[in-house]
Amino acid sequence: MKVVQQLLLVAVAWWLRQGGATIVAGHCAHRCGRVPIPYPFGLERHCARSEEFLLNCTTTDGSGGQLWLGNTPIRKISFGDSTMVVSIPELHDCYNKTGWSVNRSDNLYIDLSSYPPYRLSSTRNNLTVLGCDTYVLMTDRDRFFRSGCISYCSEYVDLAKETTCSGLGCCQASIPKGLKMLRIRISSVDGHVSVSQFNPCGVAFVGDKMSFNLSSRRLPTLNDLGKRADLVLDWMIGWDVTCAQARLNQSSYGCGNNTDCDDFTDGQGYRCFCKAGYEGNPYNRSRGCKDINECEDPQKYPCRGKCENLPGSYRCDCDGDNRRDIALAMILVPVVCIYMLVL
């Protein structure tokens, strides 16, 4: 009996190494610090869909843990829109009154070439530059594109009173679709000489334009350095095939039950979404997306009669209202007829 138990333990250990434990949720860590880790991501091979979705979680004394993509901190992973938010440093460029550089960050390189599922999100990110004498240039790896913007002002600008980054103390530029690499360089036209009293520095960052709040920023000084920006990455469950191609091999197809497959618009690849009337993780093949009970949320799904939940939708039976309307009509019709005869 003892030999049989040992053989069973060996078999289970081998099965776990082969990835068989992906369906056993209890054996996988679902959180690192404050960041939930949804499938297809995981901290161990048997918990992630593939090697490309393996992440790293580190802990230090007094810390709840930090989730990493390579050497980049992860702030959030979303399976609803297939995005990942990571934290990257802001660039800065500071000068003294005579125009000599006193504090300057290195050029920023964002390189996702070794991470196949990821792209820089062109819909969520843009370049933002703050300063009165600051310009920034962006290029990709092969310099197929060059872009950037310049921010200028001759006197102090209260950014809290500005509504847009129009070039007066702040400018913005979009980034192209499908980028996996971005090089960003910050500089100045004349070293902030004419504006050094109120603006000796310029800063720049590529980050989430939805979370950027201009009213919370000001013209940068030496005391405003060292901040970080939230960069949004798009990720795909399949990055080298389309939905039609992926469906041909159901064993490797990444979408679960009650899901729709959408081709990635910024390059080759596909992502999964729950169908209308369903919710959950569309990448979980064993559970998929579950039906929403619309009857439990009358504020969002109003029904004045009897509500019946249906797969992917709901039905509102208004027989009670119909009977009331019929009864009212039976009373009003004779009254109207009598009134017409009297006239």
Side-chain angles (χ1 to χ4, degrees), residues 12-326:
V12 170
W14 177 88
W15 180 67
L16 290 173
R17 291 194 188 98
Q18 300 304 309
T22 54
I23 61 173
V24 185
H27 290 181
C28 300
H30 297 291
R31 180 178 293 272
C32 175
R34 297 182 179 180
V35 183
I37 307 172
Y39 189 81
F41 298 92
L43 301 181
E44 299 180 17
R45 180 61 188 87
H46 69 270
C47 296
R49 173 179 167 85
S50 63
E51 296 285 344
E52 290 80 8
F53 293 97
L54 278 175
L55 303 174
N56 186 30
C57 180
T58 60
T59 57
T60 57
D61 293 339
S63 172
Q66 175 62 62
L67 191 62
W68 300 85
L69 175 65
N71 59 0
T72 303
I74 298 173
R75 287 177 46 82
K76 182 180 179 182
I77 303 174
S78 172
F79 54 74
D81 58 1
S82 300
T83 59
M84 174 185 288
V85 179
V86 298
S87 177
I88 61 172
E90 293 184 355
L91 281 78
H92 62 267
D93 186 29
C94 301
Y95 300 82
N96 61 20
K97 294 180 180 180
T98 61
W100 286 94
S101 177
V102 294
N103 195 331
R104 183 175 185 174
S105 58
D106 294 331
N107 295 342
L108 178 64
Y109 293 90
I110 303 171
D111 190 356
L112 301 173
S113 57
S114 58
Y115 302 98
Y118 303 94
R119 302 287 189 277
L120 291 170
S121 176
S122 62
T123 58
R124 289 282 299 275
N125 299 307
N126 60 11
L127 168 71
T128 299
V129 178
L130 302 175
C132 279
D133 178 21
T134 305
Y135 71 87
V136 172
L137 295 177
M138 298 186 298
T139 62
D140 63 352
R141 178 196 301 275
D142 301 313
R143 303 198 176 193
F144 288 141
F145 96 97
R146 291 171 181 254
S147 183
C149 68
I150 182 169
S151 176
Y152 178 80
C153 43
S154 58
E155 59 184 12
Y156 180 78
V157 177
D158 186 357
L159 296 181
K161 297 181 179 180
E162 300 294 319
T163 57
T164 59
C165 286
S166 59
L168 189 66
C170 176
C171 69
Q172 291 180 321
S174 59
I175 64 173
K177 296 180 178 181
L179 280 186
K180 290 185 70 68
M181 190 275 179
L182 192 62
R183 176 180 181 268
I184 309 170
R185 179 170 65 91
I186 186 173
S187 190
S188 171
V189 175
D190 65 358
H192 289 245
V193 172
S194 61
V195 296
S196 61
Q197 290 185 347
F198 56 87
N199 177 226
C201 302
V203 300
F205 53 90
V206 174
D208 187 2
K209 57 186 177 184
M210 295 177 61
S211 63
F212 173 67
N213 183 5
L214 180 60
S215 63
S216 66
R217 304 300 293 255
R218 64 178 183 177
L219 292 177
T221 67
L222 288 166
N223 296 324
D224 299 312
L225 309 182
K227 295 181 180 179
R228 301 183 71 88
D230 287 342
L231 178 71
V232 183
L233 307 179
D234 289 318
W235 56 268
M236 291 152 286
I237 193 68
W239 50 90
D240 56 355
V241 293
T242 64
C243 289
Q245 294 169 336
R247 289 192 185 99
L248 296 177
N249 188 349
Q250 286 295 314
S251 63
S252 63
Y253 183 53
C255 301
N257 297 326
N258 305 312
T259 61
D260 288 324
C261 178
D262 284 345
D263 290 327
F264 188 53
T265 58
D266 284 3
Q268 192 174 26
Y270 73 95
R271 300 188 286 186
C272 310
F273 301 90
C274 289
K275 290 182 176 180
Y278 294 86
E279 63 182 6
N281 187 338
Y283 300 103
N284 191 317
R285 294 296 302 272
S286 62
R287 299 177 184 176
C289 299
K290 300 298 183 182
D291 175 52
I292 298 172
N293 189 344
E294 291 87 352
C295 298
E296 295 179 350
D297 190 358
Q299 295 293 328
K300 188 175 182 180
Y301 307 98
C303 177
R304 297 182 58 188
K306 181 181 178 182
C307 183
E308 179 183 359
N309 183 51
L310 300 174
S313 63
Y314 72 107
R315 179 169 58 200
C316 186
D317 185 358
C318 300
D319 286 347
D321 289 344
N322 291 338
R323 286 194 294 268
R324 183 186 61 190
D325 294 341
I326 293 172

